[in-house]
Amino acid sequence: MTRSPLPDAPVARTASLLAVPARATILLALADGRARPATELARAARISAATASEHLSRLSRAGLLLVEREGRHRYFRLRDPEHLTGLLEALAALAPAPRGPAPHDEVFASSALRRGRTCYRHLAGVLGVALADAMVREGWLSLDGRFYDLSDSGARGLESLGVDVEMARRARRTFARACLDWSERRYHLAGALGGALCDRMFEAGWVERNGDSRITRVTPSGRRVLRQRLGVEVW
Amino acid sequence: MTRSPLPDAPVARTASLLAVPARATILLALADGRARPATELARAARISAATASEHLSRLSRAGLLLVEREGRHRYFRLRDPEHLTGLLEALAALAPAPRGPAPHDEVFASSALRRGRTCYRHLAGVLGVALADAMVREGWLSLDGRFYDLSDSGARGLESLGVDVEMARRARRTFARACLDWSERRYHLAGALGGALCDRMFEAGWVERNGDSRITRVTPSGRRVLRQRLGVEVW
DNA sequence: AAATCGGTTCGGCGGCGGCCGAAGCGTCAC
DNA sequence: GTGACGCTTCGGCCGCCGCCGAACCGATTT
């Protein structure tokens, strides 16, 4: 019953990846090129974690997604956002009904969470990324793969902010890790040093929690310190 | 159990049209923008006529195909070749394995049939289309929808070639129809007048059959007549 | 009229695969 | 340690749909 392979098999196989609503939702949710954890994608597609896991592994195996482990999360992102996005748009454009531009996501714009938040015990969101960027720009940190190197001047700078760098060095945890930030798609500072910095900023009253959520906001004094010491202007 | 509709339904629904090998083959076979009858598409996809009919009706309902009845045939073609072809290529490009350019069709190039053939009782292929084009160019015929109008000068011209135009007018069949030519994707002359012209060309020895097949070729004398009377140069 | 042919419809079969709950594993918090 | 949490694997259910043969329809031929 088997026949010689038709030259269109690849087309059909690839199309079938996009042919189920749950997977299309997932890809659409990743269309902005940012990385998101599996649970969030499951929620977006309204499927169980188990089902999402299957879809994600299938999409990864097909080479559409890249995956990055981050603690107990797994972040997925499109391997080739340009190409994939174009394809999704072309498919949507072929559909008969809709004539206006699709509402697309919006779902993920939930900006309060995006601006600043804690990620386990370090700072994330726009704030966390801005901080990491600034420290790199000032020569305090340099990125090496998934880790940061802390320069001497960086150590001095952080110490002068009141961060207990020596204590962080002695911790059994990784000292300075680059953590993929899901809302900004860039790295922020994690590890013992990130924790120490985060602790210090709360302790000094430069940032504060919004109730008991993970949402964090910068206080006026924090804003001043960051501007003076790191040249960072945070909203 | 029903949930509010996700914005990705159109993407998935459209993708599922391309997600089955048989349909992908059909669309690929039509990728050149030409129209082909259902049976040929069934053969290309290696499925039964019944299955092909389902696929074709589904693709038509989805607005991907246009259909044109022609006698007892139904010719299908892509509604928007540009768009669809781009989509197919983008999908194929996403597939991991193939690195060289796809062999695409070639299948349909079977050129002997393409050059000239009879279609029921009139001339088709490159020859038929060239003839129809020439007669339009000479002002003998003008296309009106799916039919041709024969001008007075056209009637005289055909008569002078020995075609029995009056007999054709009295026939109960349609006098001069435009028949969609599958290999050239353009119209050729059908109907009673097309039949009369075809008869005359065989009778005069301007064209002859290749054995008992539908393949037809122009003889030297035919070539000369066509060049002199219609300004047509046929290979 | 009968035969042929292109195409569609119908009924039914069979398999792929999407989905979930439960269980398992690793990471992190307390 | 214990518990919570993110994620994956496993087993099984179930529905969708691609496929065909047979019957049917309409156009064309003889």
Side-chain angles (χ1 to χ4, degrees), chain A residues 64-82:
Chain A
L64 270 62
L65 298 184
L66 294 178
V67 56
E68 201 165 341
R69 309 191 56 109
E70 191 59 58
R72 51 185 177 185
H73 300 273
R74 290 187 71 193
Y75 284 84
F76 294 87
R77 82 171 95 183
L78 300 184
R79 165 188 289 268
D80 184 350
E82 308 287 324

Side-chain angles (χ1 to χ4, degrees), chain B residues 38 174 190 192:
Chain B
T174 302

